[in-house]
Amino acid sequence: MEFSALTFILIALSILVIAIIVIPLELFSYIYWKDRRQSQHAILRNYPLLGKIRYTAEKAGPELRQYLFDADTAGKPFSRDDYRDVVIPAKYQKNMIGFGSRRDFEKADFYVKNAMFPKQQEELEADNTRIIDSKVYEVKEDNLLSRKEKLKNQRIQPWLLNDEHAVVIGPSCRQPFCVKGLVGMSAMSYGALGENAITALSKGIGMAGGSWMNTGEGGLSDYHLAGDTDIIAQIGPGLFGVRTKSGAFNWDLLKEKSEIPQVKAFELKLAQGAKTRGGHVDAEKVTEEIASIRNVAPYQEIDSPNRFNEFGDVPSMFSFIEQIRNHTGLPVGIKLVIGSPHDLEEVASYMKETGAGPDFITVDGSEGGTGATFQELADSVGLPIKSAVTIANQTLKKYGVRDRVTLIASGKLFTADRIAVILGMGADLVQIARAFMITVGCIMAQICHTNRCPVGVATTDPKLQKALVVDEKAYRALNYLVTLRESLFRISAAAGVTTPTDIRASHIQYKDEYQRVWSLDELIDKESFSVTL
């Protein structure tokens, strides 16, 4: 049988009609009757098709708000402007803006007091003797539908503290820890973050020199050591990395870790701002390698205890600290969350009474982040960092032991002005976590706890980690850190001091919503050791 050209056209049109009309109608009919019969969603039983549209919009809502509808300063926990404050320095080693600030100057907040006669650039006491070979992006074309950038070599200054102003942690220890960069990486475990992310951060911070990275409670891994950076090895209540298979403290493993040249100090994690309890890792994140590092069973979820079994009060905690210090020769500190003005009273009093105690205290604010926690803990337990640091600083001063302790602050301190304020409130050093995650690619998807991070940062999935190119992201971590340190010196000059370590409470001003102004040192209540606003 022969077919004419017209017949072929009619057959093709019939197939096209079926593809365009019949198949979609059949699909919609299937969805309609399927949703009509289900019992889980009420709206789908009454309005199957409209209900599908509703749930689709609900699912896409967070991304739509983040990229299209939220104002640049409105997103939480980080706004679009906050995100740019990290990405721009990381990619371009710049933090310039044009036209003016978007800050709401009518709101009550803290400001850095500028000097009538600021310091000249050449008066700043920074150590810039070593020049760093970095890579930054240069924009070649930036149009509505196209953007071309090229990675180029660039030599940058490290902006370290000079030897005179370096912060020494544990000066009485056999091996004190000398810090020449005021900013380090806060605790982020291998397991919460993948090996590519940890490696890139280690290499970037290592290239910057003078700073440190905190291992988090997941234990020390080869990826933390990949970049030749200084390490604060954190020990949590689960004792990961320094425990026996049965969960007892292993002094031999502790000694082994302490003899690694990069390990400069140990930190006992009592609590974390976003979760004032033990940590949690889902089973799929506990790979064979992570289980080996932590001395736990693979592919089983981990819930570390809410507190250490090795001590239960301040005297026994001090005894444990002393044992670790004597066993390793390294400084030993504690990480805690402050819940009230009286939280450190017993610690400070016992320090004065015995002459013992931690070499450093890391104060974590409740605004800090985490890979996984419960909403009620993140929202409502523990004090934010400004109140917490002020309480810690004043309490230690009250008992005359402030000069024996290095105070480290953490909690959304990702720009130089935020850091300057917290230095004025009493912190000696600052740690940052989420901003460093952003430097290596985090897009704030907020699914860190699922192991499905789309950019390969907070995941151990090998397929997803392919997105994170270590050699490129390491330079972003480097550029961000060095830009932050340079910005701190820039603020110091404006405030009339030659180094950020000289920023005091007298350099910080508080303006309320009625435009009244007080110096921070006038606001500190000597009785309650908190800021009275």
Side-chain angles (χ1 to χ4, degrees):
M1 180 183 293
E2 295 184 1
F3 292 93
S4 65
L6 179 59
T7 304
F8 276 114
I9 291 173
L10 290 173
I11 293 171
L13 286 173
S14 299
I15 295 171
L16 188 61
V17 168
I18 292 171
I20 293 175
I21 299 175
V22 177
I23 293 176
L25 281 174
E26 290 290 332
L27 180 61
F28 283 134
S29 296
Y30 170 76
I31 293 172
Y32 184 90
W33 291 111
K34 178 177 179 290
D35 287 338
R36 276 285 195 186
R37 292 186 179 95
Q38 58 82 40
S39 59
Q40 184 178 3
H41 302 287
I43 194 169
L44 290 178
R45 283 176 68 84
N46 284 340
Y47 309 100
L49 298 182
L50 290 176
K52 278 291 185 201
I53 295 172
R54 177 191 182 278
Y55 286 119
T56 300
E58 183 181 50
K59 184 70 174 176
E63 286 76 14
L64 292 173
R65 286 189 293 274
Q66 181 180 358
Y67 294 110
L68 296 178
F69 302 123
D70 274 347
D72 286 342
T73 58
K76 298 292 183 182
F78 282 67
S79 69
R80 191 179 292 113
D81 275 0
D82 293 338
Y83 188 77
R84 288 172 181 161
D85 285 341
V86 178
V87 171
I88 299 303
K91 288 189 69 176
Y92 309 106
Q93 222 256 312
K94 296 177 181 177
N95 57 351
M96 303 285 289
I97 65 167
F99 199 64
S101 171
R102 294 199 241 201
R103 181 174 184 171
D104 186 348
F105 291 99
E106 298 303 312
K107 287 185 177 180
D109 212 341
F110 292 94
Y111 293 82
V112 178
K113 178 184 176 183
N114 61 292
M116 184 72 72
F117 303 101
K119 296 297 181 181
Q120 300 282 24
Q121 185 84 355
E122 57 270 19
E123 293 181 278
L124 297 177
E125 298 182 77
D127 181 356
N128 282 321
T129 53
R130 180 180 66 89
I131 302 300
I132 304 169
D133 291 317
S134 185
K135 294 181 185 291
V136 301
Y137 279 94
E138 181 180 23
V139 179
K140 295 292 186 181
E141 181 182 328
D142 188 11
N143 300 316
L144 181 61
L145 299 178
S146 67
R147 181 180 177 86
K148 294 181 180 177
E149 298 178 316
K150 181 182 179 182
L151 198 61
K152 67 173 186 177
N153 296 324
Q154 182 161 303
R155 307 196 79 203
I156 61 177
Q157 294 177 315
W159 290 96
L160 296 167
L161 301 170
N162 63 19
D163 292 339
E164 180 185 351
H165 297 110
V167 178
V168 180
I169 301 175
S172 61
C173 295
R174 295 198 301 272
Q175 300 177 56
F177 179 22
C178 182
V179 179
K180 298 188 67 176
L182 282 176
V183 182
M185 189 190 93
S186 194
M188 291 195 285
S189 300
Y190 171 50
L193 270 57
E195 59 261 34
N196 284 11
I198 294 291
T199 301
L201 290 167
S202 176
K203 288 185 175 182
I205 297 168
M207 286 188 285
S211 291
W212 71 96
M213 68 188 307
N214 190 308
T215 64
E217 65 176 306
L220 181 65
S221 71
D222 290 340
Y223 309 110
H224 288 104
L225 300 170
D228 195 29
T229 183
D230 289 338
I231 297 287
I232 295 179
Q234 188 182 88
I235 303 170
L239 309 178
F240 304 127
V242 289
R243 57 178 264 160
T244 64
K245 289 291 185 182
S246 61
F249 195 85
N250 190 321
W251 291 95
D252 292 334
L253 281 176
L254 178 74
K255 184 67 174 176
E256 181 183 307
K257 298 290 191 300
S258 72
E259 291 173 349
I260 298 172
Q262 288 170 248
V263 175
K264 303 297 185 182
F266 289 99
E267 177 182 81
L268 301 178
K269 176 188 171 183
L270 306 185
Q272 179 181 342
K275 50 183 178 187
T276 51
R277 61 177 290 279
H280 172 83
V281 181
D282 286 339
E284 59 266 30
K285 280 194 170 187
V286 188
T287 63
E288 296 277 357
E289 182 181 25
I290 290 168
S292 175
I293 292 168
R294 299 189 179 201
N295 278 6
V296 297
Y299 301 108
Q300 294 185 18
E301 73 174 19
I302 303 171
D303 281 299
S304 54
N306 286 346
R307 66 171 180 81
F308 283 84
N309 292 317
E310 285 67 26
F311 52 85
D313 53 24
V314 170
S316 58
M317 179 176 71
F318 277 28
S319 176
F320 192 60
I321 288 171
E322 195 68 27
Q323 283 181 277
I324 294 175
R325 187 188 292 117
N326 291 336
H327 193 68
T328 65
L330 299 179
V332 183
I334 56 175
K335 178 177 182 176
L336 48 75
V337 176
I338 290 179
S340 80
H342 308 293
D343 267 11
L344 276 183
E345 290 278 346
E346 188 177 359
V347 169
S349 174
Y350 202 71
M351 286 180 67
K352 179 181 180 180
E353 178 185 334
T354 64
D359 297 297
F360 64 95
I361 297 175
T362 300
V363 179
D364 203 23
S366 57
E367 63 270 68
T370 181
T373 189
F374 297 98
Q375 189 73 49
E376 62 272 17
L377 294 179
D379 284 349
S380 302
V381 180
L383 289 173
I385 191 61
K386 291 188 180 75
S387 300
V389 163
T390 303
I391 289 169
N393 184 51
Q394 294 303 314
T395 302
L396 293 168
K397 282 184 175 180
K398 172 186 174 182
Y399 288 92
V401 295
R402 178 63 183 89
D403 59 341
R404 287 167 39 195
V405 185
T406 301
L407 204 56
I408 305 175
S410 59
K412 290 189 76 173
L413 303 172
F414 55 90
T415 58
D417 54 333
R418 293 167 184 254
I419 294 172
V421 169
I422 216 69
L423 292 176
M425 290 177 166
D428 298 305
L429 299 170
V430 166
Q431 290 189 149
I432 297 170
R434 283 171 293 181
F436 273 120
M437 288 175 64
I438 291 171
T439 68
V440 295
C442 170
I443 59 170
M444 303 189 297
Q446 298 187 52
I447 53 174
C448 309
H449 58 293
T450 67
N451 206 37
R452 293 186 285 106
C453 174
V455 290
V457 178
T459 178
T460 55
D461 187 324
K463 293 180 181 178
L464 292 172
Q465 286 196 76
K466 288 180 181 178
L468 200 162
V469 180
V470 170
D471 290 339
E472 192 264 351
K473 293 299 190 287
Y475 286 108
R476 295 201 191 193
L478 161 66
N479 294 333
Y480 168 69
L481 177 55
V482 170
T483 305
L484 201 55
R485 297 196 304 214
E486 180 182 8
S487 299
L488 272 171
F489 273 97
R490 190 180 297 122
I491 287 178
S492 301
V497 295
T498 59
T499 175
T501 57
D502 284 344
I503 296 175
R504 300 287 184 266
S506 59
H507 296 111
I508 307 302
Q509 302 289 298
Y510 178 78
K511 180 197 75 69
D512 71 12
E513 63 271 26
Y514 302 107
Q515 312 311 312
R516 296 174 298 189
V517 179
W518 294 271
S519 177
L520 178 61
D521 52 4
E522 296 172 337
L523 282 174
I524 295 174
D525 185 331
K526 302 301 189 216
E527 296 301 320
S528 65
F529 305 104
S530 60
V531 179
T532 55
L533 303 179

